[in-house]
Amino acid sequence: AVRPAPWPVLVGLDRVAAGEAGSELAGKRLGLVTHAAAVSLEGHPALAVLRARGLDVVRLFSPEHGLHGQAAAGEKVASGV
């Protein structure tokens, strides 16, 4: 049987949110591949976490149905960050 870790497992986004990672990204223009389900352990969207840490996200790339899944298959999705 698989036992849960005795501490929370932090993915990269959570490490950035906690200030443990991401300093190497400071001062760079970033693109983020994401969608609405990409959230931190505390439920904050990936884009919000990165921007809260002062990182310069200039482009978003998301699945066919758009960042929030609102577009129908094949429908054009508006651009912008």
Side-chain angles (χ1 to χ4, degrees):
V2 176
R3 293 183 299 180
W7 59 89
V9 176
L10 299 179
V11 297
L13 181 62
D14 295 312
R15 294 189 62 225
V16 170
E20 298 175 7
S23 61
E24 65 278 5
L25 302 174
K28 297 182 179 178
R29 294 167 35 109
L30 305 173
L32 178 63
V33 179
T34 190
H35 55 84
V39 296
S40 68
L41 189 60
E42 294 181 350
H44 302 293
L47 179 60
V49 169
L50 296 178
R51 287 191 168 162
R53 299 298 300 165
L55 299 175
D56 187 19
V57 179
V58 297
R59 294 285 186 271
L60 291 178
F61 302 93
S62 64
E64 176 186 5
H65 300 289
L67 182 61
H68 300 288
Q70 74 279 12
E75 182 180 343
K76 183 174 172 78
V77 177
S79 297
V81 171

